[in-house]
Amino acid sequence: MATRARQMTTTQRLLLVITLAAVVLAVFWFVSGKDDALRPRPADTASAADARKQLDELSVAPRGSMDGYDRKKYPHWDNQGNNCNTREFVLKRDGKDVKAGPDCAPTAGSWTSSYDGETWTEPTDIDIDHMVPLAQSWVSGAKSWTEEKRRQFANDLTRPQLFAVTDNVNQEKSDKAPDQWKPPLVSFWCTYATDWITVKHYYGLTVTTAEKTALSDMLARC
Protein backbone atom coordinates (compact mmCIF):
# COMPACT_ATOMS: atom_id res chain seq x y z
CA MET A 1 0.00 0.00 0.00
CA ALA A 2 2.85 2.37 0.83
CA THR A 3 4.42 1.69 -2.58
CA ARG A 4 1.10 2.38 -4.29
CA ALA A 5 0.76 5.65 -2.35
CA ARG A 6 4.27 6.72 -3.39
CA GLN A 7 3.46 5.87 -7.03
CA MET A 8 0.33 8.00 -6.90
CA THR A 9 2.30 10.85 -5.38
CA THR A 10 4.86 10.64 -8.20
CA THR A 11 2.09 10.69 -10.79
CA GLN A 12 0.48 13.68 -9.13
CA ARG A 13 3.80 15.51 -9.09
CA LEU A 14 4.27 14.79 -12.79
CA LEU A 15 0.80 16.14 -13.54
CA LEU A 16 1.56 19.21 -11.45
CA VAL A 17 4.77 19.87 -13.40
CA ILE A 18 2.91 19.50 -16.71
CA THR A 19 0.16 21.83 -15.51
CA LEU A 20 2.65 24.47 -14.37
CA ALA A 21 4.52 24.23 -17.69
CA ALA A 22 1.26 24.73 -19.57
CA VAL A 23 0.46 27.80 -17.45
CA VAL A 24 3.92 29.28 -18.10
CA LEU A 25 3.54 28.71 -21.85
CA ALA A 26 0.08 30.27 -21.81
CA VAL A 27 1.36 33.35 -19.97
CA PHE A 28 4.29 33.62 -22.39
CA TRP A 29 1.94 33.37 -25.36
CA PHE A 30 -0.35 36.03 -23.88
CA VAL A 31 2.51 38.44 -23.20
CA SER A 32 4.14 37.92 -26.58
CA GLY A 33 0.86 37.75 -28.47
CA LYS A 34 1.03 41.42 -29.44
CA ASP A 35 4.26 40.81 -31.32
CA ASP A 36 2.93 37.60 -32.89
CA ALA A 37 0.15 39.60 -34.52
CA LEU A 38 2.77 41.67 -36.29
CA ARG A 39 4.82 38.83 -37.73
CA PRO A 40 4.61 37.89 -41.43
CA ARG A 41 1.52 36.04 -42.55
CA PRO A 42 1.23 33.95 -45.71
CA ALA A 43 -0.07 36.23 -48.45
CA ASP A 44 -2.94 35.11 -50.63
CA THR A 45 -0.68 34.89 -53.68
CA ALA A 46 -1.21 32.84 -56.83
CA SER A 47 1.40 30.45 -58.15
CA ALA A 48 2.89 31.25 -61.56
CA ALA A 49 0.58 28.69 -63.18
CA ASP A 50 -2.50 30.10 -61.46
CA ALA A 51 -1.37 33.64 -62.24
CA ARG A 52 -1.31 32.81 -65.95
CA LYS A 53 -4.89 31.55 -65.72
CA GLN A 54 -5.96 34.59 -63.71
CA LEU A 55 -4.30 36.92 -66.21
CA ASP A 56 -6.38 35.38 -69.00
CA GLU A 57 -9.49 35.94 -66.89
CA LEU A 58 -8.86 39.66 -66.42
CA SER A 59 -10.88 41.99 -68.62
CA VAL A 60 -8.78 43.92 -71.11
CA ALA A 61 -9.77 47.57 -71.46
CA PRO A 62 -8.13 50.93 -72.17
CA ARG A 63 -6.74 52.73 -69.15
CA GLY A 64 -9.40 55.04 -67.76
CA SER A 65 -9.31 58.71 -66.91
CA MET A 66 -7.78 60.17 -63.74
CA ASP A 67 -10.70 62.61 -63.52
CA GLY A 68 -11.98 62.75 -59.96
CA TYR A 69 -9.05 60.86 -58.47
CA ASP A 70 -7.91 61.84 -54.98
CA ARG A 71 -5.89 59.77 -52.50
CA LYS A 72 -8.34 60.90 -49.84
CA LYS A 73 -10.91 58.68 -51.52
CA TYR A 74 -8.78 55.73 -50.35
CA PRO A 75 -8.71 56.01 -46.54
CA HIS A 76 -5.46 54.30 -45.63
CA TRP A 77 -3.19 53.43 -42.75
CA ASP A 78 -6.11 52.11 -40.71
CA ASN A 79 -5.75 51.10 -37.08
CA GLN A 80 -4.54 47.47 -36.92
CA GLY A 81 -4.58 47.19 -33.12
CA ASN A 82 -1.81 47.40 -30.52
CA ASN A 83 -1.39 51.13 -31.35
CA CYS A 84 -0.24 50.19 -34.88
CA ASN A 85 -1.63 51.54 -38.11
CA THR A 86 -1.30 49.66 -41.41
CA ARG A 87 1.98 51.35 -42.33
CA GLU A 88 3.59 50.52 -38.98
CA PHE A 89 2.25 46.97 -39.17
CA VAL A 90 3.99 46.40 -42.52
CA LEU A 91 7.24 47.98 -41.27
CA LYS A 92 7.30 45.56 -38.35
CA ARG A 93 6.18 42.61 -40.48
CA ASP A 94 8.73 43.13 -43.25
CA GLY A 95 11.66 44.23 -41.09
CA LYS A 96 14.26 42.34 -39.10
CA ASP A 97 15.00 43.01 -35.42
CA VAL A 98 12.54 45.90 -35.49
CA LYS A 99 12.24 47.95 -32.33
CA ALA A 100 9.39 50.35 -31.79
CA GLY A 101 8.14 52.74 -29.15
CA PRO A 102 4.78 52.47 -27.37
CA ASP A 103 3.20 54.32 -30.31
CA CYS A 104 4.35 51.43 -32.60
CA ALA A 105 6.54 53.74 -34.71
CA PRO A 106 9.77 51.82 -35.51
CA THR A 107 12.94 53.31 -34.05
CA ALA A 108 15.42 50.68 -35.23
CA GLY A 109 15.69 47.61 -37.43
CA SER A 110 16.66 46.64 -40.95
CA TRP A 111 14.60 46.35 -44.11
CA THR A 112 15.56 44.67 -47.38
CA SER A 113 13.64 46.01 -50.35
CA SER A 114 12.44 43.31 -52.74
CA TYR A 115 12.40 45.85 -55.59
CA ASP A 116 16.15 46.50 -55.61
CA GLY A 117 17.66 44.18 -53.00
CA GLU A 118 18.99 47.09 -50.93
CA THR A 119 18.99 46.91 -47.13
CA TRP A 120 18.25 49.94 -44.97
CA THR A 121 18.46 50.60 -41.25
CA GLU A 122 16.59 53.89 -41.08
CA PRO A 123 12.77 53.72 -41.21
CA THR A 124 12.81 57.02 -43.10
CA ASP A 125 14.54 55.28 -46.02
CA ILE A 126 11.55 52.97 -46.43
CA ASP A 127 8.19 53.54 -48.10
CA ILE A 128 5.17 51.27 -47.89
CA ASP A 129 4.25 50.61 -51.49
CA HIS A 130 0.89 49.54 -52.84
CA MET A 131 1.71 46.80 -55.34
CA VAL A 132 -1.17 48.03 -57.50
CA PRO A 133 -1.01 51.80 -56.90
CA LEU A 134 -4.13 53.60 -55.76
CA ALA A 135 -4.25 55.73 -58.90
CA GLN A 136 -3.70 52.62 -61.04
CA SER A 137 -6.74 51.01 -59.46
CA TRP A 138 -8.76 54.17 -60.12
CA VAL A 139 -8.14 53.99 -63.88
CA SER A 140 -8.84 50.25 -64.00
CA GLY A 141 -12.15 50.05 -62.18
CA ALA A 142 -11.96 51.45 -58.65
CA LYS A 143 -13.49 54.77 -59.71
CA SER A 144 -16.92 53.14 -59.36
CA TRP A 145 -16.20 51.49 -56.00
CA THR A 146 -17.61 52.51 -52.65
CA GLU A 147 -15.25 54.27 -50.28
CA GLU A 148 -15.31 51.23 -48.00
CA LYS A 149 -14.04 48.98 -50.80
CA ARG A 150 -11.29 51.49 -51.60
CA ARG A 151 -10.38 51.48 -47.89
CA GLN A 152 -10.05 47.68 -48.00
CA PHE A 153 -7.86 47.92 -51.08
CA ALA A 154 -5.59 50.55 -49.51
CA ASN A 155 -5.10 48.56 -46.29
CA ASP A 156 -5.12 44.99 -47.64
CA LEU A 157 -2.79 42.82 -45.55
CA THR A 158 -4.11 39.53 -46.94
CA ARG A 159 -3.30 39.93 -50.60
CA PRO A 160 0.32 40.76 -51.68
CA GLN A 161 -0.57 44.44 -51.90
CA LEU A 162 1.63 46.18 -49.31
CA PHE A 163 5.45 46.03 -49.12
CA ALA A 164 8.27 47.90 -47.40
CA VAL A 165 10.57 49.10 -50.20
CA THR A 166 13.33 51.64 -50.87
CA ASP A 167 11.72 55.07 -50.85
CA ASN A 168 13.28 56.52 -54.01
CA VAL A 169 12.52 53.30 -55.95
CA ASN A 170 8.91 53.57 -54.85
CA GLN A 171 8.88 57.18 -56.03
CA GLU A 172 10.23 56.07 -59.41
CA LYS A 173 7.44 53.53 -59.68
CA SER A 174 4.81 56.09 -58.66
CA ASP A 175 1.47 55.14 -60.26
CA LYS A 176 2.93 53.17 -63.16
CA ALA A 177 1.74 49.78 -64.41
CA PRO A 178 4.18 46.98 -65.40
CA ASP A 179 4.25 48.14 -69.03
CA GLN A 180 5.57 51.48 -67.76
CA TRP A 181 7.84 50.39 -64.89
CA LYS A 182 9.47 47.22 -63.57
CA PRO A 183 11.55 46.65 -60.42
CA PRO A 184 15.32 47.13 -60.91
CA LEU A 185 15.86 43.66 -59.43
CA VAL A 186 15.10 41.42 -62.43
CA SER A 187 15.02 38.29 -60.26
CA PHE A 188 11.90 39.73 -58.58
CA TRP A 189 9.97 40.14 -61.84
CA CYS A 190 8.23 36.76 -61.58
CA THR A 191 6.95 37.53 -58.07
CA TYR A 192 6.08 41.08 -59.07
CA ALA A 193 3.89 39.79 -61.89
CA THR A 194 2.15 37.13 -59.80
CA ASP A 195 1.51 39.64 -57.01
CA TRP A 196 0.15 42.27 -59.41
CA ILE A 197 -2.14 39.73 -61.06
CA THR A 198 -3.30 38.33 -57.70
CA VAL A 199 -4.40 41.77 -56.54
CA LYS A 200 -6.05 42.80 -59.82
CA HIS A 201 -7.84 39.47 -60.13
CA TYR A 202 -9.18 39.56 -56.57
CA TYR A 203 -10.54 43.08 -56.99
CA GLY A 204 -11.82 42.57 -60.52
CA LEU A 205 -9.69 45.34 -62.02
CA THR A 206 -8.97 45.58 -65.74
CA VAL A 207 -5.64 45.48 -67.59
CA THR A 208 -4.59 47.15 -70.81
CA THR A 209 -3.22 45.18 -73.74
CA ALA A 210 0.29 46.55 -73.11
CA GLU A 211 0.02 45.75 -69.40
CA LYS A 212 -1.08 42.18 -70.11
CA THR A 213 1.84 41.69 -72.50
CA ALA A 214 4.31 43.02 -69.92
CA LEU A 215 2.90 40.73 -67.25
CA SER A 216 3.10 37.71 -69.59
CA ASP A 217 6.73 38.51 -70.34
CA MET A 218 7.52 38.74 -66.63
CA LEU A 219 5.76 35.44 -65.94
CA ALA A 220 8.01 33.83 -68.54
CA ARG A 221 10.86 34.28 -66.03
CA CYS A 222 9.13 32.08 -63.44
Side-chain angles (χ1 to χ4, degrees), residues 129-131 133-134 169-177 181:
D129 178 53
H130 289 91
M131 170 59 66
L134 305 184
V169 174
N170 184 46
Q171 290 158 20
E172 290 171 3
K173 175 186 175 183
S174 186
D175 299 324
K176 300 180 181 71
W181 184 91

Side-chain angles (χ1 to χ4, degrees), residues 52 55 193 197 211-221:
R52 291 186 183 94
L55 180 58
I197 293 167
E211 180 183 350
K212 184 174 182 177
T213 297
L215 289 165
S216 296
D217 290 345
M218 294 168 82
L219 286 176
R221 294 180 175 271

